[in-house]
Amino acid sequence: MMTTRLDKDAGELISPTAPNAGIEVWRLCEQYTVVQAAILIAGWDPGRVTEVEKLPSHERPAGYEAAKNALVQRLHHDSWFGRIVEIDDVHKYQNGLTYTEIDVEKSIVWSHSVKSWLSDQGLSSGFFFPERMSKPNAVPDYLNPAHPRYAPKLAAAVRAWQAYGNVSTKVDGKSPKQVLAEWLKQNAAQFGLADQGGKLNNEGIQDVAKVANWQTKGGAPRTPGKAEHDRPPNQQDGSA
């Protein structure tokens, strides 16, 4: 069973479920040691997890070792990621080449670089993304009716585009624009595309459908239905 370092000053065992009231203050820093950054990425407070490098690997905080190794690799490959402090006369092999071992307790990484790197790896939650921590399911500003720059037609176009995969199978044989228009008609009131009596603003619906439509060329492929190649050869649209 994994345990974590007993913080002698705090007099308590640090655990993943323990409150990290002081961790927010670390966001004031523009740089961190590799050790500090790894601890933060793993979701721990560096001020409460002490002498982690002296612990056996199985006693280190969960996620720390993986985060530290990833940070070290990034430092070796990107000189703009931070600043390396080497440990003299210590070498390792990587892809058949030697490289100098770095001092993870003295080498530093820039906060903004770590955040960008995490985003590039598809990670967008945790310490380096406080906006996602405070609002994990937050609605984007352009879809939020309470936002001062909320534009109903823009929101309608985005929502229709997002919903396309859910509705297209129900309206076989129609073009994407037609499918989008059908969805907009069904949800018109939500986006101000119908008056209080329920009368649709058909012109507005068509305008929004044009914005959300990605098949803008004439004769665009239609949603699943009768395939074009099933038509008799030489038969033109509208012909008998």
Side-chain angles (χ1 to χ4, degrees), residues 64-215:
Y64 166 77
E65 200 66 24
K68 182 191 73 174
N69 288 337
L71 288 166
V72 168
Q73 291 174 25
R74 188 61 183 173
L75 267 176
H76 277 297
H77 288 90
D78 184 357
S79 61
W80 293 94
F81 193 69
R83 185 171 66 243
I84 289 178
V85 176
E86 300 176 348
I87 298 178
D88 293 337
D89 300 325
V90 179
H91 297 80
K92 285 189 175 182
Y93 285 91
Q94 186 178 60
N95 298 325
L97 302 173
T98 60
Y99 68 92
T100 303
E101 181 73 354
I102 73 171
D103 188 331
V104 294
E105 294 180 320
K106 295 180 180 179
S107 297
I108 63 172
V109 291
W110 314 121
S111 176
H112 64 87
S113 295
V114 173
K115 183 173 181 176
S116 297
W117 168 67
L118 290 172
S119 294
D120 291 342
Q121 302 307 307
L123 302 177
S124 58
S125 62
F127 170 82
F128 287 95
F129 303 90
E131 65 279 2
R132 296 296 297 274
M133 292 180 68
S134 59
K135 298 185 293 182
N137 298 313
V139 176
D141 289 342
Y142 54 86
L143 295 179
N144 183 4
H147 194 277
R149 296 198 304 275
Y150 175 74
K153 288 186 177 180
L154 170 62
V158 173
R159 288 303 192 192
W161 184 89
Q162 291 175 328
Y164 181 87
N166 296 326
V167 300
S168 61
T169 55
K170 300 178 182 179
V171 283
D172 291 349
K174 293 187 177 181
S175 68
K177 182 183 174 184
Q178 290 172 323
V179 176
L180 294 165
E182 287 292 335
W183 186 91
L184 290 165
K185 289 177 182 178
Q186 296 173 13
N187 297 273
Q190 181 180 350
F191 303 102
L193 294 171
D195 61 21
Q196 293 182 348
K199 183 179 179 180
L200 297 175
N201 176 358
N202 288 309
E203 183 178 354
I205 288 172
Q206 291 302 317
D207 288 341
V208 174
K210 288 179 182 178
V211 173
N213 179 30
W214 58 94
Q215 297 281 11

